[in-house]
Amino acid sequence: MSRAVRAVGPGLLAFVVYIVFSGSVNTYNIVTGVVVAAVVGFLTANITVSNPGKLGEVGRLGWLIAYAIRYFFIDEVRAHVDVMRRIVHPRMPINPGIVRVPYAVSSDYAMTTIANSITNTPGTVVVDVDTERKVFYVHWIDVKGVEPEVTRGISRVFEFFASRIFD
Amino acid sequence: MGRWQKVVITASMVAFVALLALALSAGGLGFTLPAGRVRDVARWYLFTTFNPDLELFSAMAPEGVTSIVWDYRGLDTLFETAVFFLAIIGSVAIMRDIKTGGGSKPKGSTGLSPIVKTVTRITVGIILAVAASIALHGHLTPGGGFQGGATAAVAPLLILVIFSRYYIERLGVSKNAMLAIRSLGLVGIAVTAFIVLAVTSLQGGVAYVFQNQPKPYAPAGMPYEVGGSLTGGTLLLFNIFEMFAVSAGFTIIFLLLAIPESEVLGVLRGGEDGH
């Protein structure tokens, strides 16, 4: 029973991916999509979900939508503009290095969201993670400082949203 | 490698491509590609693949390649599937004494970083959904059972590499389980090949092996649509069973390849007087 409950989230994801990849909404796709979603959801339930109750909390969904808008339209744009400026600048002002960025979230999904958000914005890449000490090792195009107060600036926004979506 | 060697190699590669392009544009393979004679065969397939006005000669599925693979030349594909099956049985036979499961899990964490693991937990389901879509739409759009099965096999491969082979065995993806799925897929293909013949024979009629749609003098066939949705008759069943057979077959190979060489050699040497 608990596996069936856990299968809801992965099953919904599989259904949406199936319909989008198939490219049309018709009877055939909906019928086969439901069957595929049930099978895939059941198969992946135990490796994907440990706390299915979180799926039903609407507040988390609201934070997710807010984060998607904020991330793609503000943080991404800002990072792109910054890196573009460095590329076209005649003196190419870069000061690269690898810094420690501490994080304070507890779930794997929140940690991964922060890491992927850092990597996906130009100029910063997570090269490793230490879950014992709770730090990311981040390659930064313009190292402004190695102190945790400074490096946390990279992930502050991401961590704020990730902890509210997943923790 | 010296600088002049690099220059000579680069120049000869550029010259080769340029000469090939020149030869082709000068008509080295004929001026119309493909040649007109080939076109007649292709035209016939396109004309009959899905043609409601010519149902007795049509495969009644809009995807030409799948129609050719599983209807026009279904027997050919059956033997191809059998060859692939024998190749896998051969590798299982070679590795017969070597345990894929068991063994003690190494201490500490295994596999890639927790970031990669967490992403993989989500993408595995996405990969399986895409694979199912490729297989279930094989009679409508490019794709089919083999393509879908090969895509689905990426999911266990990712788990195998990113987590560990101990983890994947614990999930129930073992060599014997995959052999069972693979055999069921092949039985399904065999049943589908005979289903029209078997049902028609029981009713006292005549039909062909590998029959899909009604043919002259063999009027039985699988319905090519259900409730207004095209199903391609036997093509859909072939694609589903082929997907299971192929994905399980590839997974067996991945499981066997993940066994460390030291364990393989230890068994193959067979102890002190094993040879």
Side-chain angles (χ1 to χ4, degrees):
Chain A
M1 187 59 209
S2 67
R3 183 166 186 169
V5 176
R6 279 201 293 271
V8 172
L12 278 175
L13 176 68
F15 183 76
V16 171
V17 169
Y18 184 90
I19 294 291
V20 170
F21 187 79
S22 302
S24 62
V25 182
N26 54 36
T27 321
Y28 180 79
N29 283 352
I30 289 172
V31 172
T32 53
V34 167
V35 175
V36 168
V39 173
V40 172
F42 183 76
L43 285 177
T44 58
N46 282 348
I47 63 167
T48 310
V49 179
S50 55
N51 189 346
K54 285 181 180 175
L55 184 69
E57 294 172 23
V58 185
R60 294 177 186 276
L61 190 67
W63 282 113
L64 177 67
I65 293 167
Y67 182 47
I69 294 168
R70 149 100 215 206
Y71 181 78
F72 285 111
F73 291 98
I74 297 177
D75 299 303
E76 274 279 336
V77 173
R78 204 179 272 161
H80 271 93
V81 169
D82 179 67
V83 171
M84 284 190 299
R85 186 183 64 80
R86 290 175 202 279
I87 292 170
V88 298
H89 198 285
R91 278 187 285 109
M92 198 167 75
I94 58 169
N95 175 29
I98 294 180
V99 296
R100 273 198 207 97
V101 179
Y103 64 90
V105 295
S106 54
S107 73
D108 277 352
Y109 280 115
M111 184 272 290
T112 304
T113 303
I114 298 170
N116 284 355
S117 299
I118 293 173
T119 299
N120 203 46
T121 44
T124 46
V125 178
V126 174
V127 285
D128 203 0
V129 57
D130 187 339
T131 47
E132 305 275 301
R133 298 170 63 189
K134 292 203 162 213
V135 288
F136 297 120
Y137 293 90
V138 177
H139 183 273
W140 199 1
I141 199 169
D142 180 37
V143 177
K144 295 191 175 74
V146 295
E147 305 78 20
E149 311 86 67
V150 180
T151 59
R152 265 207 123 111
I154 297 174
S155 66
R156 187 169 294 118
V157 174
F158 310 148
E159 187 160 346
F160 175 84
F161 284 97
S163 66
R164 278 158 181 77
I165 297 167
F166 288 114
D167 262 2
Chain B
M1 202 192 302
R3 172 184 288 241
W4 283 109
Q5 259 175 307
K6 278 187 189 166
V7 170
V8 170
I9 290 171
T10 311
S12 58
M13 283 166 73
V14 170
F16 175 72
V17 173
L19 283 173
L20 198 64
L22 189 67
L24 290 178
S25 58
L29 290 175
F31 284 99
T32 52
L33 288 173
R37 289 188 305 282
V38 181
R39 273 310 246 275
D40 286 343
V41 179
R43 201 174 291 126
W44 175 251
Y45 279 130
L46 289 174
F47 185 60
T48 59
T49 291
F50 185 80
N51 193 339
D53 299 331
L54 200 69
E55 283 201 24
L56 282 185
F57 293 94
S58 176
M60 295 309 285
E63 225 289 299
V65 175
T66 301
S67 303
I68 292 169
V69 165
W70 281 121
D71 187 338
Y72 294 97
R73 306 191 61 84
L75 206 56
D76 204 49
T77 309
L78 181 72
F79 285 119
E80 268 174 34
T81 304
V83 166
F84 183 53
F85 181 65
L86 284 177
I88 284 162
I89 289 296
S91 35
V92 171
I94 289 175
M95 311 273 271
R96 62 189 175 281
D97 284 337
I98 301 154
K99 295 241 179 330
T100 53
S104 55
K105 182 185 178 298
K107 288 211 164 56
S109 65
T110 51
L112 301 186
S113 82
I115 298 171
V116 185
K117 283 181 181 170
T118 309
V119 172
T120 307
R121 287 173 199 278
I122 301 171
T123 48
V124 160
I126 295 176
I127 290 166
L128 293 178
V130 168
S133 178
I134 293 172
L136 292 171
H137 291 80
H139 59 291
L140 300 171
T141 49
F146 193 96
Q147 293 85 335
T151 309
V154 174
L157 177 63
L158 283 180
I159 296 177
L160 195 60
V161 173
I162 290 165
F163 292 83
S164 71
R165 69 192 182 104
Y166 306 96
Y167 185 78
I168 198 167
E169 297 263 343
R170 216 172 61 232
L171 293 176
V173 185
S174 67
K175 188 179 80 177
N176 289 340
M178 291 300 113
L179 270 177
I181 292 176
R182 173 150 185 86
S183 303
L184 281 177
L186 287 167
V187 169
I189 290 172
V191 168
T192 308
F194 285 99
I195 191 162
V196 173
L197 176 64
V199 172
T200 314
S201 302
L202 286 177
Q203 293 166 349
V206 288
Y208 295 103
V209 177
F210 259 98
Q211 181 154 0
N212 180 8
Q213 297 304 313
K215 291 284 170 284
Y217 309 112
M222 287 286 273
Y224 63 86
E225 60 158 9
V226 174
S229 300
L230 291 172
T231 56
T234 56
L235 303 186
L236 179 62
L237 295 174
F238 277 130
N239 278 334
I240 292 172
F241 290 127
E242 177 83 355
M243 175 182 72
F244 282 112
V246 167
S247 57
F250 275 125
T251 307
I252 292 169
I253 298 300
F254 296 147
L255 288 173
L256 291 179
L257 288 178
I259 302 170
E261 193 180 18
S262 55
E263 285 181 29
V264 177
L265 292 180
V267 174
L268 291 185
R269 284 201 187 102
E272 285 173 34
D273 53 358
H275 48 107

